[in-house]
Amino acid sequence: MQVVFQDPFSSLSPRMTVEEIVGEGLLVHEPALDIQGRQQRVLAALSEVGLDEAQFGNILSRYPHEFSGGQRQRLAIARALIVQPRLLVLDEPTSALDVTIQKQVLLLLQQLQRDHALSYLLITHDVDVIRAMAHEVLVLKDGEIVEAGPVRQVLDAPVHPYTRSLVAAGA
């Protein structure tokens, strides 16, 4: 299991290079991997999320501040994927992004889910993100589940007043 946090800028160390950030999990999960092997895995993970050496020269030695918000979120996704998790916890993964970049990141997450048979635990208030990404939904209010079920059922015909207010706010 790995986590992709809401704000990629604050979750990526400004003192670490892209190579260190993305490859850090390999030091723990695959300590026998040599430097070259680790670099190749980091480059492959970056390429998979749409960040590669051809686009960003010397990408491994760059720092997070050199990337846009959407690119930093892709770095965070690569960091999570490099250890080959079966579950990604996505905490408001697109809330800090503009609408165009948000759509690109959602498409990337959908593709990665298909390619790696990933399960996502998506935490969000954004009804459009829920519709785009989720199959099942739990609506929480004050730490209690107030409604649960298939996305279409819950969002198209909400029963609980809190769910109705969330759906109305997102419409």
Side-chain angles (χ1 to χ4, degrees), residues 2-3 6 11 22 57 86 93 98 121 129 134 142 150 166:
Q2 289 290 306
V3 179
Q6 178 176 358
S11 69
V22 177
R86 293 177 52 190
D98 70 45
L121 174 58
V129 170
D142 300 325
L166 288 174

Side-chain angles (χ1 to χ4, degrees), residues 11-147:
S11 69
L12 301 175
S13 172
R15 293 189 168 98
M16 294 173 73
T17 65
V18 167
E19 180 177 6
E20 293 167 331
I21 289 168
V22 177
E24 185 175 31
L26 293 176
L27 295 172
V28 174
H29 293 279
E30 295 188 39
L33 197 59
D34 65 9
I35 292 171
Q36 262 189 331
R38 194 167 46 255
Q39 283 180 342
Q40 290 306 313
R41 289 275 300 275
V42 169
L43 287 170
L46 291 169
S47 179
E48 190 166 26
V49 299
L51 302 172
D52 57 35
E53 189 69 28
Q55 183 183 15
F56 299 95
N58 300 316
I59 192 168
L60 295 180
S61 60
R62 290 178 177 252
Y63 289 86
H65 72 272
E66 298 178 59
F67 296 89
S68 70
Q71 292 164 343
R72 284 192 297 264
Q73 192 63 303
R74 289 171 185 267
L75 289 172
I77 294 167
R79 174 182 63 183
L81 288 178
I82 200 157
V83 296
Q84 302 170 336
R86 293 177 52 190
L87 172 68
L88 276 187
V89 177
L90 303 167
D91 181 13
E92 297 277 6
T94 60
S95 67
L97 308 175
D98 70 45
V99 176
T100 304
I101 303 303
Q102 181 181 59
K103 185 174 180 178
Q104 291 173 7
V105 170
L106 290 175
L107 290 171
L108 171 65
L109 289 169
Q110 290 168 341
Q111 183 64 47
L112 292 169
Q113 186 176 44
R114 285 189 297 274
D115 292 349
H116 297 284
L118 287 168
S119 294
Y120 292 151
L121 174 58
L122 176 63
I123 303 162
T124 185
H125 293 89
D126 189 324
V127 174
D128 291 334
V129 170
I130 295 167
R131 286 189 192 278
M133 296 294 298
H135 301 100
E136 297 283 325
V137 65
L138 295 173
V139 179
L140 299 172
K141 182 177 188 309
D142 300 325
E144 300 288 327
I145 297 172
V146 297
E147 196 158 354

